[in-house]
Structures are given as C-alpha cells and as structure tokens.
Amino acid sequence: MGSSGSALKVCTDHRGGINWLSLSPDGQHLLTGSEDGTARLWSTADSQCHGHFQGHESYITFCHLENEVAFTCSADHTIRKWDVMTGQCLAIYRGHTSIVNRILVAKDYLFSSSYDRTARCWSVDKEKQIQEFRGHRNCVLTLAHYSSRDVLDESEEEQEKLSRDFLVTGSTDCTVKVWWVSSGRCYQTLLGHTGAVLCLILDTPNRELFSGSTDYTIRTWNIVTGEQLKVFKEHQGSVICLELVNRYLYSGSADKTVKCWLADTGEQVQTYKTHKHSVSTLKYHAGILFTGSGDACARAFNSKTGVLQRIFRGHKFIINCIQIHNELLYTASHDGTLRIWDVQGICKRNKPRLKKERSVLGKSSQKGSLSRLFNNRVGCTVQQENGELEAVELM
C-alpha cells in the first residue's frame, strides 16, 4: 500500500445532489447542476464558487458550460441560458412537456432531449424553437450531432455543396435515430438493441457511431449507411458510459467493470475491476483511466495494464460525473459535494510516450446522472472509517 491523502478541497455549497459537472473550453471554470434546482460556477484557479444561478422550479438534470454563457436543463420542462459573469438568466427555452434530461450545444444550435419522447433544436441566440424531432416511442435519453462534411472525403465533399447537419438520438424504445436538422425528418432508424440506449459516441473521421444499452451490448454503426458493423457482448450488465481514445473504446457498466476494446476489431483487451457497484462515469487522461462508481469511490487505473493505481474515498453516495484539469480530478456526487483531488503524481508516472491522443467526446451528450436515470437504484451509502476523507494509492 502506497501513500494516501485527503481531497484537496470539499465544496459543500449545494443543498442537493449534483447531477452534472461541466468544464469550460478555456478551462477557467466548472459548472455544477444540482437537485436543489440551482447551478453553481466554480473557478479552477482558486476552487471558489463565483456564481449561483437560480430560477429553475425543479431539479437540474444536466448542464453545459461555454466560456461566456452557461446552459441548464431541468425537470421543470425548461432550458435556461445564463451569463457567466453576472449570473443573469438570458433566455428561457419553453416547449417540452416533460423532464428535459439532456442538452447539447453545437455550432449555433442548442439541442435538447426529453421524457416527452421528443428532441428539439433551438437557436442559441434566441428563445426560438427551430425544429422538433418526433418519432421515438419512449423517452429520449442521449444526443449526438455531426455535419455531413465531418464524414465525407474530398471527392464527396465537392458533390455535397451544402453541409447538412444531423442529430442522433438514443431512446428507451431500444432505437437510435438519425435526423436531418433542417427538416426534422428521420434520416434513418438504427435497429438492433433490445434495451434502452443509454449512451452514444461518434467517431466521425471513421464514419462510426457507438451505442451502449441496457441489453448489455455495445453496437457500432456506419453513420452514412446505417449498417450495423459489430456487436460487443462481454458485459454482464447495462452499458452506462463510453469513451473513445485513439480507437480504444472504454465502456463502463452496471456489472461493476470497465472494459477496453479495439474499436477496429471489437476485441476486448482489458477489464478494469475492483468496483463494488455500477460504473457511472469514466474519463481517460494521460494514460490513466479514471472512473466513478455507485460505491461512492473514484478510481484511477493504468489504462494499459489495468492495474489499480489509486482509490479516492470520501463521497457518501454515487459519483455522477468527473472532470480532469491541470492534474486535478474533480468528482461530483449525489451527496451534494464537489471534491477536488491532486492526481499529478500518478499522471506523470503513467503518462504514455505516444503521439497526441485523440479523444472523441465533444459532439455527444452522454454519461448522465445515473442516480436520476435509475431513480437512485445504484446509489449507496459508504461508511467512512473515523470520518476521514481519504484517497488511498496502490503501488
């Protein structure tokens, strides 16, 4: 057993569980969205709360932070846009008739998905709904966006004079649908899953879409033709979260494991164990795979060997989201706290000598609050020894 240490800071300002954590593109701020119906803005420089966004009439399900504006969505059926500097609400987007559970900002579009079985597209600069995507038979849980120019080669791009935008939606009706943003019409329906689609991730340079489901599988699709390419079947529980880095696909599951796959072949090359409950969130950074779990712990694994490097203990309920910035790990939990941990040592020790890593993340909205998704089914209380908040490093 190696050295151990506490969290650098525990932020306890929220009065309810934190459902999501978003990092601004410039890395200067974090945004947390909470069960208490508010969002809070945190500086990554001093870890202080610099903004408190109030106005929603129910809990916040998801949030997204840009450098100058923030977006939140809520069980009150609305989406709000906020000024980061002043905290003023700049716009309220109304139209959904049930809980809004995801938002995605791409180009000048704001996309949203809801339990009302629809996804919608809004103008970022106005409170105007541009399009409604109706066709799913049940809740829309996850979103992704791409442009036709993202998936065309040079010869095809010459033929396609105008770039077309597409929205991808995953639903509890077991389907993935691809929509034309301009018309709201369904371009194609991807059939194959036998359970709810919980997460999506796009790899547009390779024209591929990955989907994870409660049917225990991950499926990969050609996003141009809609053809199902491969089915990854090794998990023994729902696939909750996905991340793709350098054509390695990482999947977190309710079976208490993360698996690593070769995206090109579907071969499973690593399994990361020791979780005591579902893996609710994951993130790759500098050769380390960080995970958050329903057992209230975060973990750091050597991504290549699968060896557990460190356990971060202190939270009392499920960790819903994690972020990493400047060798600091941020963990947001249903216990209402944001905890900050120093991971500089393990990152330096495990950093691979590779060319620049390409992580496929930006244009998909996924890995939502598992506690909300399963109505707290995966939440659990962890007894703390002597009340200490510790991170144990395993050598």
Side-chain angles (χ1 to χ4, degrees):
M1 187 75 69
S3 61
S4 64
S6 303
L8 294 177
K9 184 169 183 179
V10 181
C11 306
T12 60
D13 301 53
H14 278 297
R15 295 295 176 262
I18 299 174
N19 285 328
W20 196 251
L21 173 65
S22 180
L23 178 68
S24 62
D26 62 13
Q28 294 186 18
H29 294 98
L30 289 156
L31 183 70
T32 50
S34 171
E35 293 278 311
D36 64 15
T38 73
R40 288 182 178 269
L41 185 74
W42 310 85
S43 168
T44 55
D46 59 15
S47 303
Q48 297 296 317
C49 181
H50 286 240
H52 190 204
F53 305 154
Q54 303 178 76
H56 280 296
E57 298 175 3
S58 189
Y59 60 87
I60 292 175
T61 56
F62 196 87
C63 60
H64 174 81
L65 182 59
E66 297 287 338
N67 291 335
E68 297 180 356
V69 295
F71 298 88
T72 56
C73 60
S74 168
D76 67 9
H77 307 178
T78 71
I79 305 149
R80 287 178 179 252
K81 178 182 177 182
W82 310 85
D83 185 295
V84 167
M85 295 303 296
T86 66
Q88 178 186 359
C89 181
L90 302 175
I92 303 176
Y93 305 85
R94 304 181 191 273
H96 281 295
T97 57
S98 188
I99 296 169
V100 184
N101 64 308
R102 291 291 181 280
I103 47 178
L104 171 64
V105 178
K107 297 184 177 179
D108 295 324
Y109 299 125
L110 169 65
F111 298 99
S112 58
S113 62
S114 170
Y115 287 13
D116 67 10
R117 305 183 181 186
T118 73
R120 300 179 191 234
C121 177
W122 317 78
S123 167
V124 168
D125 297 325
K126 302 176 182 178
E127 299 175 47
K128 180 182 177 182
Q129 179 178 304
I130 299 173
Q131 202 56 260
E132 178 180 312
F133 309 94
R134 186 176 293 273
H136 280 296
R137 296 181 179 180
N138 216 322
C139 309
V140 183
L141 296 180
T142 184
L143 302 167
H145 167 270
Y146 69 96
S147 167
S148 59
R149 288 182 179 172
D150 296 333
V151 299
L152 298 178
D153 58 34
E154 291 184 5
S155 60
E156 292 171 315
E157 196 171 333
E158 289 180 5
Q159 299 174 16
E160 182 92 7
K161 299 300 182 183
L162 296 175
S163 177
R164 297 183 181 180
D165 288 288
F166 294 90
L167 177 69
V168 187
T169 55
S171 168
T172 54
D173 68 8
C174 309
T175 71
V176 176
K177 287 181 178 288
V178 183
W179 312 81
W180 276 292
V181 172
S182 59
S183 67
R185 290 191 295 115
C186 183
Y187 170 63
Q188 53 193 6
T189 300
L190 310 183
L191 301 173
H193 281 298
T194 58
V197 179
L198 302 183
C199 48
L200 298 170
I201 196 161
L202 280 166
D203 184 6
T204 50
N206 288 288
R207 303 182 175 193
E208 289 184 0
L209 170 73
F210 298 86
S211 56
S213 169
T214 59
D215 66 10
Y216 303 0
T217 72
I218 304 159
R219 295 171 192 261
T220 178
W221 316 81
N222 182 302
I223 55 176
V224 176
T225 66
E227 176 189 3
Q228 181 177 284
L229 303 175
K230 288 181 286 290
V231 182
F232 306 166
K233 294 182 176 180
E234 298 299 321
H235 277 299
Q236 301 301 310
S238 298
V239 179
I240 296 165
C241 47
L242 296 171
E243 177 140 310
L244 185 66
V245 183
N246 292 332
R247 297 295 288 170
Y248 287 96
L249 179 68
Y250 300 92
S251 56
S253 171
D255 67 9
K256 307 177 187 178
T257 72
V258 174
K259 292 184 182 294
C260 177
W261 317 78
L262 297 179
D264 293 327
T265 65
E267 177 188 357
Q268 180 194 322
V269 294
Q270 193 59 261
T271 299
Y272 310 85
K273 302 179 180 179
T274 77
H275 305 94
K276 302 296 191 294
H277 217 290
S278 301
V279 178
S280 47
T281 183
L282 55 82
K283 192 168 288 289
Y284 175 96
H285 176 76
I288 297 292
L289 185 68
F290 293 92
T291 65
S293 172
D295 64 13
C297 293
R299 290 171 172 81
F301 297 88
N302 181 297
S303 62
K304 185 176 181 179
T305 66
V307 173
L308 178 64
Q309 302 285 296
R310 190 170 172 184
I311 302 175
F312 305 87
R313 293 189 174 98
H315 285 295
K316 296 180 180 179
F317 292 102
I318 179 175
I319 296 174
N320 284 325
C321 195
I322 58 180
Q323 291 286 352
I324 300 143
H325 179 66
N326 282 346
E327 311 305 330
L328 294 176
L329 170 67
Y330 299 85
T331 57
S333 167
H334 206 67
D335 65 12
T337 68
L338 172 67
R339 296 174 190 266
I340 306 167
W341 316 82
D342 184 0
V343 294
Q344 183 175 359
I346 55 174
C347 288
K348 283 185 176 180
R349 190 164 63 243
N350 290 273
K351 193 169 185 179
R353 297 176 181 177
L354 296 174
K355 294 180 180 179
K356 186 177 180 181
E357 295 158 346
R358 185 172 65 87
S359 178
V360 181
L361 285 174
K363 296 183 180 179
S364 60
S365 166
Q366 58 176 34
K367 298 181 289 189
S369 169
L370 191 65
S371 53
R372 268 292 165 195
L373 191 59
F374 292 110
N375 295 318
N376 297 323
R377 179 166 59 84
V378 299
C380 56
T381 304
V382 174
Q383 288 284 345
Q384 304 300 319
E385 298 179 5
N386 303 320
E388 292 293 326
L389 310 177
E390 62 170 349
V392 180
E393 191 165 351
L394 306 176
M395 303 299 289

